[in-house]
Amino acid sequence: MTNNIFINAQELADELGVSKAMAYKMIKGWNERLEQMGYTTVRGRVSRKFYLEQMYGVAERKEE
């Protein structure tokens, strides 16, 4: 996993084993939720931390 703050649709599709189109739909939904919460979003990308929280219920762990 990269240290980039955002995850893009291709990375998401590869990680979850879904199509790129599905990954874009997931990102769009998460970004809509983030915007409702008052956050700024980037089209086609979502915060890696938010993605991990939504998918797994935990924030990214720091490597030791």
Side-chain angles (χ1 to χ4, degrees):
M1 190 180 310
T2 180
N3 287 331
N4 194 335
I5 192 170
F6 294 105
I7 187 167
N8 64 33
Q10 186 62 59
E11 282 182 277
L12 186 64
D14 292 344
E15 190 166 319
L16 298 178
V18 299
S19 69
K20 197 171 177 181
M22 176 56 113
Y24 274 115
K25 287 179 186 178
M26 294 171 78
I27 288 171
K28 182 179 179 186
W30 289 330
N31 278 339
E32 287 172 357
R33 194 173 315 156
L34 284 166
E35 287 172 1
Q36 290 174 352
M37 295 166 58
Y39 292 100
T40 301
T41 61
V42 177
R43 188 174 178 190
R45 292 170 172 73
V46 71
S47 159
R48 189 174 300 275
K49 181 180 180 215
F50 189 75
Y51 150 68
L52 290 170
E53 289 170 354
Q54 294 303 297
M55 290 301 296
Y56 306 108
V58 295
E60 183 176 16
R61 295 182 187 176
K62 292 185 179 183
E63 294 182 29
E64 296 180 31

